[in-house]
Amino acid sequence: MKKLQAIAATMGLALVLASCASKKAVVESQGSTLPKSSAATTRTGNKANTAQPASQKTDASTGVSAMAFMKKVLDNQVYAKNVVGNMTFNIQMGSKDISVPGSLHMRRDEVIRLQLFIPLLGTEVGRVEFAPDRVLIIDRMHKEYIEASYDQLDFLKNNGLNFYSLQALFWNQLLVPGQKTVGEKDFGRFSIDEKSVKLSNGNMTYNWTTAAKTGQIVMANVSYASAKSGASSLLWMYSDFRQLGTKQFPAHQDFQFSTTATKQAKTVKVTIDMDEVKDKSDWETRTSVSNKYKKVEASDVLGKLLKF
């Protein structure tokens, strides 16, 4: 089960970082930047830093420009209900470097499912499934599975996690922790600096880099820093955009998670390289587990997985 353990640990770590403050109070933006001509200037060390919420208008032209930029970024969200395609899945962690064929099935607000197959044979060996109400990890080889609500998993419960934050990362979208979607009403919580959009909340900082002309998100950088808990970062990169309806979806996604919060510093890198991107609806969103499978205890599962 070690391959699946590595995958499950990675997904869990990404969730912890991306959704750490999702059940807390409404996020208020802090410490980001707008064009220098329109923003109040502050100092951090020896560097000047200009910061202003995207919806705050210092003058008419600047206010409209900031709002227009945010609308452009938001307008790149795909309208499709489903994202489906075969993929090559690669995970690197320490000395481990594993590549297997697989598939990605996502249905908006319902499920994110990664299936892994035996090369050439095409037999499913494992499945990782996130839904709003549960996490499911199935090991087909050993007929074992983990199924639990987010509140039942210590590493999720202790960080107030949210399925929708992870969904936003997979779907190449902005996020506000604790919310299902981001709309124009939320623009005041973000700040912009040329080609980037930032949202800060306590020890968490979310920073999205966009293409200058299109406003398409090409990278998401989520960071956490605490004197007590150490530092963690999640770098999620998007490329190979394919047509999906009237919008573009990234068929190639790389995300790398690094943390010093564990006893030993850990870095995990995952690559999802999709062969195709389709909006297919002829599949079930809810996986049922056979009674022949053994349920594995879920309490503090992340801590156990990281020991493999």
Side-chain angles (χ1 to χ4, degrees), residues 22-49:
S22 64
K23 292 183 181 176
K24 296 180 181 179
V26 174
V27 175
E28 295 180 359
S29 61
Q30 302 174 2
S32 185
T33 59
L34 265 182
K36 294 181 180 180
S37 60
S38 63
T41 302
T42 59
R43 293 278 177 178
T44 303
N46 295 323
K47 296 182 179 180
N49 181 42

Side-chain angles (χ1 to χ4, degrees), residues 143-291:
K143 289 184 168 55
E144 295 179 344
Y145 73 98
I146 294 170
E147 182 180 28
S149 69
Y150 293 90
D151 285 343
Q152 287 177 293
L153 297 173
D154 291 348
F155 74 96
L156 296 174
K157 180 181 178 180
N158 293 341
N159 289 282
L161 300 182
N162 188 312
F163 161 81
Y164 301 101
S165 296
L166 182 64
Q167 175 175 262
L169 289 168
F170 270 100
W171 284 72
N172 188 228
Q173 298 173 355
L174 298 174
L175 69 90
V176 172
Q179 294 187 187
K180 289 177 65 174
T181 60
V182 175
E184 291 186 25
K185 62 180 175 57
D186 302 305
F187 285 177
R189 303 176 188 180
F190 296 89
S191 299
I192 67 170
D193 177 14
E194 297 180 350
K195 296 185 296 180
S196 68
V197 179
K198 182 182 287 187
L199 184 151
S200 298
N201 182 62
N203 294 327
M204 299 290 293
T205 301
Y206 303 79
N207 197 340
W208 295 268
T209 301
T210 67
K213 293 184 179 180
T214 65
Q216 186 80 59
I217 296 171
V218 295
M219 182 173 65
N221 191 341
V222 187
S223 59
Y224 173 87
S226 168
K228 181 179 179 180
S229 303
S232 300
S233 65
L234 174 65
L235 189 64
W236 203 300
M237 293 172 285
Y238 309 92
S239 59
D240 190 16
F241 285 84
R242 309 276 186 90
Q243 199 71 31
L244 186 63
T246 60
K247 302 296 181 178
Q248 300 279 321
F249 185 85
H252 189 98
Q253 301 188 23
D254 291 292
F255 50 98
Q256 178 173 305
F257 181 85
S258 301
T259 184
T260 60
T262 51
K263 292 183 179 180
Q264 294 182 342
K266 291 185 178 294
T267 297
V268 184
K269 182 179 180 181
V270 168
T271 297
I272 294 174
D273 192 8
M274 300 179 70
D275 299 332
E276 56 186 358
V277 178
K278 295 183 178 180
D279 182 3
K280 295 176 61 177
S281 59
D282 57 343
W283 53 281
E284 296 294 328
T285 59
R286 196 80 176 179
T287 297
S288 297
V289 183
S290 169
N291 56 16

Side-chain angles (χ1 to χ4, degrees), residues 287-307:
T287 297
S288 297
V289 183
S290 169
N291 56 16
K292 296 180 180 180
Y293 281 62
K294 177 185 177 182
K295 186 174 183 178
V296 178
E297 179 62 39
S299 179
D300 199 21
V301 66
L302 182 60
K304 296 176 182 177
L305 291 172
L306 288 175
K307 294 177 182 178

Side-chain angles (χ1 to χ4, degrees), residues 124-144:
E124 182 179 299
V125 292
R127 180 176 297 204
V128 179
E129 184 172 289
F130 294 98
D133 64 331
R134 70 169 185 175
V135 177
L136 177 66
I137 302 167
I138 301 176
D139 175 9
R140 300 289 190 196
M141 300 295 288
H142 300 91
K143 289 184 168 55
E144 295 179 344

